[in-house]
Amino acid sequence: ENAPVPRPIAERHPQNIPAGTTTISDQAGQVLFFTDGQSVWDLNGDLMENGSDIGGDNSASQSVIAVGVPTQPTLFYLFTTQASAGGSNTVSYSLVDIKSENQTGVGNVVTKNNFLFSPSTEQSAALTSGDTTWVMFHELGNNSFRAYPVTSNGIGQPVISSVGSNHGFNSGVGAMKFSPDGTKLAVTISEGGCNRTEIFEFDQQTGQLTEYARLNLGCSGSVYGLEFSQDSDRVLVSYRNGGPGIEEFIIKPVDNNDPNAASCPACFDGASTRAQREACILSTKKQVGGTSGKNLGALQIASDGQIYVAVVGDNRIGQIQVGTGCTAASTFNQDAVEPMPGTANLGLPSFVQN
């Protein structure tokens, strides 16, 4: 079934949200509530009861992600992060009940701004695996990821994986994403004027991460957005402040449905060490045409399988049609989505990968 292209709202939203945001909609695409990590608005666009000061900072790159409570279709946890430059760097959680009606609108923030841990980077990601949703964060100042299991019993104790590079106190801005097939997690890091992306293998049973590749992206622009292709065989990254625009990398052999065929790209044959994988992945780098020099924010895959791009200061959302196979490059189209009544900032809504 072909999903529709995202459509803009009829009128400019009254809130100016610089970065992180998320939206929860029903199956028909009608908004149930939305939030920037600081406030929660109901389906009418009104502030939800008890919906102010929920603990996040809307200038954080991934300031909030909404996770449904298993077996409770009207309840959602909101996990919030804060701007890394702010100093407190706290991850908190709140609970929204969208069936609760009140005098001012629909829905209620039942409990808010509950401390989870500190200090954290601005990044967060979530993956639904069976009856568990894993919610991932990264501690600030070290190399430890925290994976929190969310089940019908609530929020469990975190699984700690100390892998990859340290995220220093002068970093913490960027994106973290799970791959659609749930086998990988990637994160962008911009620190000291230079950029990198790190990729990890994820065990959905245990919540543990193991290192897969560290990619040195150079020192042009500031890496920000990140997304996997629908087939989970490519990673794309975007840059703020000009620079390369959008780059894509093939991160594993492309599936061609022939078990006897040679690996494609061929450099993955025998690439058993991290260094060999890194060299192979970097050799596949392509710059997506038409994006160089643009000031770009978040990347987000949608239900139609395309990846959408926040083009800062523009009223058009960019669309990436991801290439397939070993040689096809992805293409960028800034006219695929109708112009918006307002202009984009750095953010696009964060969603749970499932």
Side-chain angles (χ1 to χ4, degrees), residues 112-315:
K112 66 182 181 182
N113 198 11
N114 298 283
F115 178 86
L116 200 59
F117 81 96
S118 179
S120 169
T121 69
E122 300 182 8
Q123 298 143 325
S124 61
L127 171 74
T128 296
S129 176
D131 296 329
T132 300
T133 296
W134 292 101
V135 186
M136 188 74 72
F137 304 96
H138 197 288
E139 295 181 10
L140 193 61
N142 60 35
N143 71 335
S144 294
F145 288 87
R146 287 175 170 244
Y148 286 87
V150 176
T151 67
S152 56
N153 295 322
I155 303 169
Q157 291 299 307
V159 176
I160 309 295
S161 299
S162 296
V163 288
S165 301
N166 286 339
H167 290 221
F169 284 95
N170 292 319
S171 65
V173 179
M176 180 190 298
K177 293 290 181 74
F178 280 102
S179 61
D181 66 4
T183 66
K184 300 281 193 300
L185 179 96
V187 63
T188 61
I189 306 167
S190 185
E191 187 173 17
C194 294
N195 308 296
R196 58 190 188 272
T197 293
E198 299 189 354
I199 306 170
F200 304 87
E201 294 184 294
F202 181 67
D203 187 324
Q204 298 183 43
Q205 300 302 312
T206 66
Q208 288 283 352
L209 292 166
T210 53
E211 199 160 36
Y212 184 75
R214 302 187 195 184
L215 306 179
N216 183 348
L217 304 179
C219 305
S220 177
S222 299
V223 72
Y224 190 81
L226 167 75
E227 191 56 277
F228 286 88
S229 63
Q230 190 171 37
D231 293 335
S232 302
D233 55 14
R234 297 184 186 217
V235 159
L236 294 89
V237 296
S238 62
Y239 290 81
R240 293 187 298 171
N241 307 321
I246 297 170
E247 295 174 330
E248 62 176 328
F249 303 85
I250 298 175
I251 63 168
K252 66 178 184 178
V254 175
D255 186 6
N256 57 11
N257 297 318
D258 182 357
N260 298 315
S263 292
C264 171
C267 58
F268 280 107
D269 272 334
S272 58
T273 67
R274 194 189 89 198
Q276 291 170 333
R277 288 192 296 269
E278 290 166 353
C280 185
I281 293 168
L282 288 170
S283 74
T284 71
K285 180 175 79 171
K286 288 186 174 70
Q287 188 178 62
V288 177
T291 64
S292 179
K294 290 184 179 293
N295 187 10
L296 302 176
L299 303 179
Q300 178 61 51
I301 194 168
S303 56
D304 62 358
Q306 308 304 319
I307 294 174
Y308 292 87
V309 187
V311 184
V312 179
D314 203 297
N315 69 341

Side-chain angles (χ1 to χ4, degrees), residues 24 31-34 40-51 74 76 96-110:
I24 295 296
V31 172
L32 299 176
F33 72 89
F34 57 98
V40 186
W41 294 273
D42 65 18
L43 54 81
N44 299 311
D46 299 321
L47 187 70
M48 191 176 283
E49 185 169 317
N50 202 32
T74 67
F76 294 85
V96 167
D97 183 357
I98 60 170
K99 75 175 184 296
S100 175
E101 295 199 22
N102 54 69
Q103 292 182 351
T104 59
V106 179
N108 182 30
V109 180
V110 179

